[in-house]
């Protein structure tokens, strides 16, 4: 298994540490439930089922009665209660902010846990149910869980860590796993320093399962063996974020003209190696979210068209005029001249940003690409110290998660600083119900907001990188059988994938 070329490994399998090794969440520790963003399916883990109270303020989780920790101790509701109280005591470990939504957690016997919400917020259940659970009898004496160091990790997942070094580590099947012994006895996770060595190992069949982008994958990987397969489904929408606090970018005609002047097809082919497609104007991740598409929308509304002459007309009709340098100037005298921040070394995004600058220059909008190291880039975009920025969107089991993160005035990934009381009301309405028909109507409204207000500019879909060799096992997810997110880096999904594999011999 090659989730990604991480370089050498640290002996860190702490689920409360952001730099924990791949497999910590899923193979070793597990949440109560996993709700998959690609298929939309729910997969029971430490909870066999869950339900809401009639007022939708209490989430009731029924636990797996036969689950055990890998040291033989029984897993009970007390472990769930302990874990959530640990997050409450040490807020830095509560990265999903569950205690901003919860008022209490109660264990009822050994196999039921009730989560009391401060107010109704149905979609937030996925964050509560997705929290990794740790054993009270091991973690009760460690103090701040984000600083804990262990070498003997006790989990409930399908694998135990049987060997570790900086060059790689090995998972061995947990024969007592509550969902049955895994069909793959051992999984090795070797360290690779970069894409080149990782790509070579995949092409030679030295790795069964990779999460690496391979240039010219058909000829350099798939053609090397009939068992070499790949599937790069869309994972999220890559946006050209527009800082709406910028007086020029806050004008809708400017954003509309920029969107019309961007040739997304050229970017998908030349900048993104042909591995993706232009994004929908709705902000939906397609085809994953196809069932949420408003049927009243026409393709002329949902599909972007490259129209540079139309973009010029939009600006001219809004009173913008070109200066002596051929750059449009706003009615208040400000030139349409911007910087576009992107991560240095992310070669596809760097190439795509350069193409955007070239395309916008053709209609009279000046864009300078500003490549930053990842840390500075993150600090700048999260601190709103940018004009334009290429970045991702945060998705979930339904389109709500992308919209809430990006469009809510309190959204966690509202980089553009969009704020609209009507939009907030729609998002709140969605969060108050489990009725999918009502939720669907709310999503339709959000799609129209994306189309008509263009808070930021959808560009293309960010792919999941997924390469696999099926010479030894069948049952891999594929375009024909998309039962779950297939990548070996989208945890805890790999724990579900391995349980669906079957040895060929």
């Amino acid at each position: 298994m090659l989730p990604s070329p991480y370089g050498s490994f640290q002996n860190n399998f702490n689920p409360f540490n952001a730099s924990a090794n791949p497999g910590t969440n899923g193979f070793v520790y597990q949440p109560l439930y996993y709700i998959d963003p690609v298929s939309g399916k729910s997969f029971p883990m430490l909870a066999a089922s869950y339900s809401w109270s009639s007022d939708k303020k209490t989430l009731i989780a029924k636990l797996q009665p036969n689950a055990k920790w890998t040291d033989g101790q029984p897993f009970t509701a007390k472990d769930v209660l302990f874990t959530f109280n640990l997050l409450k005591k040490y807020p830095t470990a509560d990265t999903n902010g569950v205690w901003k939504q919860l008022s209490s957690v109660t264990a009822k016997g050994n196999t039921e846990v009730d989560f009391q919400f401060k107010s109704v917020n149905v979609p937030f259940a996925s964050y509560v149910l997705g929290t990794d659970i740790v054993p009270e009898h091991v973690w009760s004496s460690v103090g701040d869980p984000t600083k804990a160091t262990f070498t003997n990790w006790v989990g409930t997942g399908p694998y135990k860590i049987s060997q570790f070094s900086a060059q790689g580590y090995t998972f061995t099947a947990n024969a007592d796993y509550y969902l049955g012994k895994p069909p793959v006895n051992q999984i090795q996770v070797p360290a690779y320093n970069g894409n080149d060595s990782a790509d070579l190992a995949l092409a030679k069949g030295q790795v069964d399962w990779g999460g690496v982008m391979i240039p010219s994958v058909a000829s350099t990987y798939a053609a090397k063996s009939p068992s070499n397969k790949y599937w790069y489904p869309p994972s999220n929408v890559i946006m050209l974020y527009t800082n709406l606090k910028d007086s020029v970018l806050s004008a809708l005609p400017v954003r509309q003209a920029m969107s019309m002047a961007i040739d997304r097809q050229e970017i998908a082919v030349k900048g993104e190696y042909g591995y993706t497609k232009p994004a929908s104007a709705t902000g939906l991740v397609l085809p994953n979210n196809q069932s949420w598409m408003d049927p009243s929308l026409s393709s002329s509304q949902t599909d972007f068209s490259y129209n540079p002459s139309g973009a010029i007309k939009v600006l001219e009709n809004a009173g913008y005029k070109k200066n002596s340098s051929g750059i449009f100037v706003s009615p208040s005298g400000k030139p349409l001249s911007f910087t576009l921040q992107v991560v240095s070394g992310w070669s596809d995004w760097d190439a795509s940003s350069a193409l955007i600058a070239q395309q916008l220059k053709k209609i009279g909008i000046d864009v300078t690409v500003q490549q930053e190291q990842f840390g500075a880039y993150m600090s700048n975009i999260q601190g709103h110290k940018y004009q334009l920025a290429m970045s991702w969107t945060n998705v979930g089991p339904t389109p709500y998660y992308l919209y809430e993160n990006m469009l809510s005035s309190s959204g966690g990934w509202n980089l553009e600083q969009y704020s609209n009381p009507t939009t907030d009301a729609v998002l709140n309405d969605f969060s108050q119900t489990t009725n999918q028909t009502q939720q669907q109507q709310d999503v339709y409204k959000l799609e129209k907001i994306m189309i008509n207000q263009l808070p930021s500019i959808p560009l293309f879909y960010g792919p999941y990188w997924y390469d696999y060799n099926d010479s030894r096992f069948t049952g891999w997810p594929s375009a024909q059988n998309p039962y779950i997110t297939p990548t070996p880096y989208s945890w805890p999904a790999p724990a579900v994938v391995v349980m669906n594999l079957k040895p060929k011999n």
Side-chain angles (χ1 to χ4, degrees), residues 9-53:
F9 293 109
Q10 302 286 324
N11 195 352
N12 177 7
F13 294 88
N14 181 347
F16 302 110
N17 190 307
S19 59
N21 290 321
T24 302
N25 169 18
F27 279 2
V28 180
Y29 298 97
Q30 296 211 300
L32 298 176
Y33 242 82
Y34 171 61
I35 305 173
D36 185 61
V38 167
S39 66
K41 296 179 180 177
S42 297
F43 296 91
M45 290 194 161
L46 286 172
S49 65
Y50 70 90
S51 60
W52 285 99
S53 62

Side-chain angles (χ1 to χ4, degrees), residues 313-328:
K313 287 182 181 177
V314 166
L315 291 173
E316 290 177 341
N317 290 341
Y320 292 75
K321 297 178 180 178
K322 287 186 177 180
N323 62 19
S324 59
S325 300
I327 302 300
F328 271 106

